[in-house]
Amino acid sequence: MQVEQVKVFTRPKTLRPVVTHYCPGCGHGIVARLIAEIIDEFGIAEKTVGVAPVGCSVLLYNYLDIDMFEAAHGRAPAVATGCKRVHPELAVFTYQGDGDFASIGTAEAVHAAARGELITTIFINNAIYGMTGGQMAPTTLLGQKTSTSPQGRNSKVAGFPIRMAELLATLEGAKYIARTAVHDPKNVIQTKKSIRRAFETQLKGLGYSMVEILSQCPIGWHMTPPESTKWVQEKMMQYYPLGEFKISKEV
Amino acid sequence: MTGNEAIAEAAIQAGCRHFFGYPITPQSELPEYMSKRLPEVGGVFLQAESEVAAINMLFGAAGAELPCVIVNIMRGGPGLGGIQPSQSDYFQATKGGGHGDYHLLVFAPHTIQEAVSLTMDAFDLADKYRNPVMVLGDGNMGQMMEPVVFKKNSGLKLPEKRWALTGAKGRPVNLIKSLYLDPQALEKHNLEINRKIQEMIANEVRVETYSVEDAEIVIVAYGTVARIAKTAIRVLRERGFKVGMIRPITVFPFPYSTFEEISGDLRKFLVVEMSLGQMVEDVKLGVCGKAPVEFYGRTGGVVPTYDEIVTETERLFKGVP
Ligand SMILES: Cc1ncc(C[n+]2csc(CCOP(=O)(O)OP(=O)(O)O)c2C)c(N)n1
Ligand code: SF4
């Protein structure tokens, strides 16, 4: 009897067959794969340019088989703006951590959104500085211990965590703003849907788009991978509600 | 302690109670240490949103002609570069990274103990001159561990800060600014800054000379490279080569006169740096053509080994091109 073999799951073409540098249980790798899947589904690998600034995000250019820039800390939306204005036919996206997007790069983030720049930001919110070894990020939760908030983040000294999605959703130029997570399969599927909508917003010329993705950093949080997914569910999602904060009729 | 931690503790012991910073390898242990220690001594640790914000917070805390201490732990560049030790920022530190006729006083320690004492002095001199002082280390100096002793503050009598903005209670108002639309006024301001710099040049030069008395070749190095060169010199002396070293401790003001003094009877200078040649320009100015100045450098985060320096020096002795 002939058994028909149907391929139901495979590596996206845009995702290079290499080992990533991400720690076990890290959310970055999942998102890298989702971006690759979306690029393949839209068939835009040859007209997409990515921008990866420093942070654990920076090595994305080793994993995606597309043209990519490396940007200085925080400056990716400015680099993407330059690229998109010169090459309006391209799909241009930035891939940024929370230290990058919500701390040193807030000016670029806010102004790219305010201008309605036709670029997409994939924003990895892991509530910590991963690459430099676990310092406090602007998104670090109150009470969360990091290497520069050893007693736990205290709002009297270090203020309050920033909700970037809600902040950017107030801007006219921003046309798709969502927050998702990647700690379980259901949320991974939702994240993929949001990334697709963000790219669609750009490709249809509607305006700026951003997906904030709650992402586990077991190493920076000093947790096991299962503990870290639980922490996303129980702690991060409390403060950072998931949802689509802004969406156009056209997508 | 690591150099980063030792510098942080020295700063606290020198009286530092406010720290504004931003993480970066290879210096993140410094803010980390400050975040733990400053609250214990009633100080303020604030992680700024960027380096630009951090220096402007310092400006707000201290005012222009900023009496502050900046620690630069150098890594390889340009751009994002890498995280391994390098001496890539010599030009930026000594020649001024901004515009206008200004200089920082720049210390270049070569041991953790020296980093501690220079950091403590840096706080005094920043106040004395009302000028930023930089402690210029490299990734190695930041991450290396050595035992250290914290000595008492120098006890230098510091000028009163009459210019500080504290609310004009019972005194005429103060203004801190750098905008002078009238060129005559701006020239006057620059001349005043220059007066301070000339005073630093006259009084603050520090340099170590090491086995130079009978030396035929003098190695010139600072920071990490200088301590590697000391090992190289020991090996070379054992092999009968007369080699010494000049080690600038302040790289601004640079010890030009030390070079003028000994250039005459020398065969050669050999400048060794973890860069492709930055300090070598100052050495040439000091030597002023009286002896050949050779250069050996590794860059991009590669640290030269002592046997590379030995080989290079022996090559110069043999006159091999
Ligand atoms: C101008 C500048 N300042 C500081 C750094 C050091 N640095 C590298 S990555 C990083 C932050 C990384 O954190 P985040 O953006 O949250 O990304 P993650 O690593 O957590 O994914 C910092 C501060 C740098 N490279 N450039
Ligand atoms: S440090 Fe954190 S964000 Fe970086 S790769 Fe490891 S788990 Fe991921």
Side-chain angles (χ1 to χ4, degrees), chain A residues 21-29 55-57 124 126 128-134 215-221:
Chain A
H21 75 290
Y22 304 123
C23 312
C26 176
H28 269 293
C56 292
S57 32
I124 303 292
N126 56 15
I128 205 141
Y129 283 48
M131 181 178 244
T132 39
S215 173
Q216 47 283 7
C217 172
I219 288 293
W221 300 349

Side-chain angles (χ1 to χ4, degrees), chain B residues 217 241 267-268 270 294-295 311-321:
Chain B
I217 289 184
F241 293 103
R267 272 218 249 180
K268 259 172 197 149
L270 171 62
E294 304 282 345
F295 176 75
T311 309
E312 190 61 20
T313 315
E314 284 183 341
R315 197 177 63 77
L316 293 180
F317 267 107
K318 290 175 193 142
V320 184

